[in-house]
Every structure is written in C-alpha cells, then in structure tokens.
Amino acid sequence: MFQVQDQSLRPLTTAHLAQTMSLLVLSNQELHDKVIAELASNPALELIDERICPECRRRIHGPGRCPVCSRTAVQDEPIVFLSPRDSYRPTRRNSSDDFPYSQEPAAPEDRTTFVLRQLAADLLPEDRELAVYILSSLDEDGFLADPPAFIAQATRSSMTQVKRVLELISNAEPVGLATEGPRQALVVQLHTFPQDDPRVQVACRMIQEQFSELGRGEYDKIARALNVKSRLVHEATEFIQENLNPYPGRAYWGSGREPGTGDPNVYHRPDVVISSNPIEAEGPLVVEIFSAISGWLRVNPLFDKAVKEADEDQSDELNEHLEKANLFVKCIQQRNNTMRLLMEMLVTKQRQYILEGARHLTPMTRAEIADHIGVHESTVSRAVSNKSVALPDGRIIPLAKFFDRSLSVRDRIKEIVREEREPLTDDAIASQLKRDGIRIARRTVAKYRSIEGILPARLRAKKKLSTAA
DNA sequence: CTATGGCACGGATT
DNA sequence: AATCCGTGCCATAG
C-alpha cells in the first residue's frame, strides 16, 4: 500500500520519458486510437469540449462567443495549431505548456467553409446557395452522393448552373472534390499538370480507358491495350501514385511508399499541414499540427476531488488511475511540444524546399535538429518517423523526406535529363553536376537514375523539342 | 571498348 | 548495434 502510494505520487521521470517516447512515434491516427482507448479505460481522464477565444485565449465552453471580448470562438480545435514566425531562431527552449493558438482553422471537417472561402472570388452570388448544397451533400469521400440531374431538380436549378458550380468546386482545393468517383477525381487532378508530359498523357488514357486494370495492377495488359511501352506505363503509374489522390475529400494518399510496393489503397491524412500565407506570400508559413483529438484532454477535477474524499481502501486504486491520467496528459503535452519545436525548426530551415521544390532541400541530419532544439537525437528520430506532412502545393510527403540528403541532387539529375538534347551517359551527367559544384561518382548517378525511374542513356529516346519547358 | 548494373565494403546516420 | 548511403571493382551487354 505504502509502496504503491509512493510510486504513484511521484510521476517518475523515467516512466514519463518512456511513455512520451512511445507516444512520439505514433502518427496522429494511431495517437487518436490510443487516446480513445485510454479515455475508455481510465475514468480519471476527461475530454472536454472547450474552444479557445482567438483574441484573449480564454477557454470557452461550447460554441458561442467569448464573454470578454465577444469574439466568436474558433470552431475547430486542433490542440496544437500554430504559425511560427519565419524569423524564429531555434535556440529558445521549451516554453512550458503554453501552446500558441491560431484562428484560421482549415481542418478537413470544415470542408464546406474551407472550399467556399476559396470560391468566394469566382462564385456568382446566385450560385452560392447551390454550392453550399452540393458541398454539404457530398458523401464522406467527397464524392457526389446524387447525380447532377438530381441536384438540379432538388435545388430547382438548371443543369448548366449545376455544372458550372461543380466545375468550380472540383478545381478548388482539394482538387477533385465533388466528382462522381475516384476515376473522375483523378481526371480532374490530372488536368492541373502539364499536358505535354508523356507520363500525364499516358496516365490520362490509363485512367479513362483502363481503370479497373490499373486498380488490379495489370500493367502489361494496359501497355498492350494502349500500345505503349510498359516502362512508360510504370512511370505513369508512379506519377499517379505520387501526385494524384483518388479520394480527395477523405484524405490524401501517402506518396512515401516505394515505387512498386505502392498500394493504391494507402491513404491517410497528414499529421501536419503547411500552407503558405494567403495574405502575404513572403510572410510566415502557416503550420498546423493536427491534434489527435478534438477538445481538451485533462484530468477530471471531479475525479481528483473524489479520490481525496474516498475511503482509504479504495484510494489506492483510484490514485493509480489518477496518476496514470496525469502522466498521460503530460506525455501528450510533451509530445505536442516536441512536435512543435521540430516543425518550427523544419519550416525555418527548409522554407525554400517547402515553397520551391525538391532542389532546394537543405541537407540536414536528425542529430543537427536534435542539437538545436535541445532534445536527444533519438527523440527527433521518433518524432520524424511515421509522420506525414502536407505541403502548400498539396503534396503529401513523409516527414523523413526533409532529411533526404540526396533529394536535391536527384532533382538536378531529373532536370538535366529532362533538358538534355540527346541522351547523356551517367559519366556525362556526373561531370555536368560537377560543374554545378556537386561532386558525386558516376556510379552514384546511376543509382539515383534508377531511383527516379530514368532509363539508361542507351534506352532513352532522343528528346523532341516539345518536351522542353 | 564503353556504359551499366550487381555485389560488397566502409563510413556515416539513426 | 543496426541500417542506410556513396563508391569502387568487376562482369556483362551492346
């Protein structure tokens, strides 16, 4: 009894650490499940539905207005939701449990307003109601639950009006929303890419003519049916997997899988979303770290009180619950804090990459980051693993990609090949790179080439001028 | 003979 | 301690 009490009274730092670590590796989805499970099994934990006033950061119960400054409370409640200043210099240490909150939620749940906001400029006033109707009637994958004709009838609108609105919606972020199904969504998304890219052309035909074969991975059959090289079919498939998302409304699809193992059914929502500031393009990036739960997780104060009043014989058990809950909440906070620090660092160091693409990835190691934010490198390692992040351009990449030392070089190679007049050998590419100050061995060029799915010089056809730019 | 891909080694990273 | 990455060497295909 006494021992138990001793143990539970003091939240052991080792236990604390251990649990924080185990929570850190989890993706949001996994953490969500974990929290739900914990809530169910531990009566001392409580999830409360509080909002934060954007102005004075007071907590407000339920929807409504802040009693102090009478501003409307934010609707969505990611626990951590922040927009670090770009000038942020990463030497600062933890600022306790003080999380910054922002007031511009763009959570997936709020799809309707999210899309409407984008449409504001293009939407005719008389179409607005129709747009709202369509957006709110979408099924959970973001597809049309009813055919356009039905919508027209239900809203007493004309077909042309419905089509006009649908077109607008499907071209807004997330592109492909409000289409009839995965296939149509893919087609719409494909239109946003340069049409002269051969991969795009083939991908387009694959989706339109050979969709079920594509789903089954029957690449050879597709190649024959379309009368194109199977190599091209593979490249197109890869392109689809990396750039398109068949379920735009639900989540993005993980592009982190290796080519080949990419199961077209792996989709997930990102753990972090980075978007560029719509107001001032040069301003700070907006970073949202999604919370695993909506609302606030805390130790139930009633339970706390109950424990103190409880009989001696029961209090052991109750205390245990209490301490566990306490620990859990602390660990969650710790996790959030670490994620925040990490993302602030990342956004600051890799701004160029985030905004301008693969070539500008600054090489860095996890150890470096760990040093800067003052945690152990294994902590960073855990925090990075299993997470994905959405970039402003909509691409979803694994967080680990920020640490890919060869990414920028591979991108250069891709560019060199894309712009070559006639097939360059690996050696030629290597020396070309050397001119740009990148010193790598010929053998390595070959390796990168294969990673990028670029054929050897011999097999590369002569480039036509049309492929340029 | 030249361009590539395979295997394997050493050093860095995790 | 386990893993990943860049490279050198060598066999092979063209």
Side-chain angles (χ1 to χ4, degrees):
Chain A
M1 180 208 291
F2 348 93
Q3 287 180 339
V4 173
Q5 259 188 341
D6 269 9
Q7 272 179 16
S8 49
L9 245 128
R10 197 90 303 282
L12 305 158
T13 43
T14 55
H16 185 179
L17 269 174
Q19 192 169 7
T20 309
M21 287 307 165
S22 70
L23 290 181
L24 204 53
V25 279
L26 301 178
S27 71
N28 249 330
Q29 184 58 52
E30 291 161 338
L31 185 62
H32 175 85
D33 297 342
K34 173 89 177 170
V35 171
I36 299 293
E38 204 70 25
L39 272 170
S41 72
N42 192 334
L45 273 181
E46 179 188 41
L47 186 64
I48 48 176
D49 182 26
E50 281 183 336
R51 324 280 161 129
I52 305 296
C53 170
E55 193 70 23
C56 53
R57 298 181 60 197
R58 254 166 239 276
R59 293 176 194 179
I60 307 162
H61 280 282
R65 289 167 176 283
C66 171
V68 178
C69 53
S70 76
R71 281 199 49 169
T72 316
V74 294
Q75 272 201 332
D76 292 279
E77 53 288 269
I79 272 197
V80 182
F81 186 82
L82 53 108
S83 52
R85 306 169 292 287
D86 261 41
S87 53
Y88 174 75
R89 277 287 140 211
T91 32
R92 197 186 48 172
R93 284 310 197 88
N94 304 4
S95 49
S96 69
D97 294 338
D98 176 12
F99 299 128
Y101 287 83
S102 159
Q103 53 275 62
E104 273 302 316
E109 287 76 25
D110 215 23
R111 199 163 62 196
T112 301
T113 37
F114 178 67
V115 175
L116 276 178
R117 204 162 3 117
Q118 300 176 61
L119 259 43
D122 304 316
L123 199 60
L124 300 173
E126 63 263 36
D127 286 347
R128 188 181 161 84
E129 204 181 327
L130 177 58
V132 173
Y133 173 86
I134 292 175
L135 282 167
S136 51
S137 72
L138 298 176
D139 68 19
E140 59 175 15
D141 284 326
F143 297 128
L144 295 173
D146 312 304
F150 182 93
I151 295 175
Q153 199 180 358
T155 58
R156 273 169 279 136
S157 319
S158 68
M159 263 312 264
T160 50
Q161 197 183 355
V162 172
K163 280 186 178 158
R164 185 171 63 214
V165 175
L166 282 180
E167 169 128 7
L168 275 176
I169 296 176
S170 63
N171 281 302
E173 284 292 326
V175 179
L177 198 68
T179 49
E180 288 167 45
R183 185 165 165 181
Q184 286 74 17
L186 291 177
V187 171
V188 172
Q189 288 165 29
L190 209 48
H191 282 313
T192 65
F193 289 92
Q195 296 300 306
D196 53 1
D197 187 329
R199 291 176 304 169
V200 172
Q201 291 164 3
V202 173
C204 188
R205 294 182 61 202
M206 280 164 65
I207 291 165
Q208 290 185 330
E209 300 167 35
Q210 306 283 323
F211 193 62
S212 50
E213 285 80 358
L214 178 60
R216 292 195 297 269
E218 297 171 343
Y219 304 124
D220 295 340
K221 191 174 168 190
I222 297 172
R224 255 180 284 123
L226 297 181
N227 193 26
V228 295
K229 295 212 183 79
S230 85
R231 181 80 215 178
L232 200 47
V233 170
H234 279 102
E235 284 180 33
T237 307
E238 214 171 281
F239 182 87
I240 292 172
Q241 291 187 352
E242 285 195 8
N243 298 299
L244 306 183
N245 170 12
Y247 295 94
R250 163 140 284 215
Y252 298 83
W253 84 0
S255 62
R257 301 288 151 259
E258 291 307 306
T261 47
D263 172 3
N265 286 315
V266 195
Y267 316 108
H268 56 83
R269 78 175 28 167
D271 301 289
V272 179
V273 171
I274 302 176
S275 29
S276 51
N277 196 323
I279 301 151
E280 28 168 357
E282 292 306 311
L285 294 163
V286 179
V287 180
E288 301 165 53
I289 303 175
F290 282 130
S291 128
I293 40 163
S294 29
W296 268 90
L297 194 64
R298 69 170 185 191
V299 175
N300 189 338
L302 294 176
F303 191 91
D304 192 20
K305 207 166 142 208
V307 169
K308 295 198 174 103
E309 293 167 359
D311 297 340
E312 273 293 315
D313 51 337
Q314 287 179 27
S315 73
D316 279 355
E317 195 189 329
L318 295 181
N319 253 319
E320 197 178 321
H321 270 136
L322 195 62
E323 283 308 328
K324 265 178 93 174
N326 240 320
L327 184 61
F328 190 70
V329 171
K330 277 212 175 101
C331 289
I332 296 262
Q333 286 178 348
Q334 186 72 50
R335 177 189 190 271
N336 289 338
N337 199 29
T338 308
M339 287 301 291
R340 193 193 92 220
L341 287 171
L342 173 67
M343 289 314 298
E344 283 183 355
M345 221 17 231
L346 239 45
V347 165
T348 312
K349 288 206 101 168
Q350 303 289 16
R351 181 193 170 95
Q352 278 234 300
Y353 166 64
I354 292 165
L355 292 176
E356 293 163 40
R359 205 160 323 144
H360 302 97
L361 183 71
T362 319
M364 58 180 187
T365 69
R366 292 157 171 80
E368 238 173 276
I369 301 292
D371 195 39
H372 278 291
I373 63 180
V375 296
H376 195 273
E377 44 188 70
S378 74
T379 309
V380 176
S381 206
R382 286 175 222 265
V384 164
S385 68
N386 255 315
K387 313 280 190 312
S388 59
V389 43
L391 267 34
D393 60 11
R395 277 165 44 240
I396 306 282
I397 59 167
L399 205 47
K401 209 159 186 163
F402 280 91
F403 297 92
D404 190 329
R405 278 166 298 158
S406 60
L407 193 68
S408 65
V409 183
R410 295 209 305 270
D411 193 65
R412 295 287 349 240
I413 293 179
K414 271 202 280 189
E415 185 185 276
I416 291 173
V417 171
R418 204 180 319 129
E419 289 175 359
E420 74 191 359
R421 270 305 182 98
E422 53 192 30
L424 295 172
T425 68
D426 291 348
D427 249 328
I429 295 175
S431 49
Q432 168 102 47
L433 284 170
K434 187 176 278 177
R435 247 166 279 147
D436 295 352
I438 304 170
R439 252 195 76 257
I440 56 169
R442 171 243 111 212
R443 186 66 190 78
T444 310
V445 174
K447 211 133 224 176
Y448 289 165
R449 235 192 38 249
S450 69
I451 291 176
E452 296 297 339
I454 300 171
L455 288 169
R458 267 178 191 292
L459 302 177
R460 284 202 305 268
K462 285 206 177 160
K463 296 277 164 180
K464 291 168 209 154
L465 293 171
S466 68
T467 358

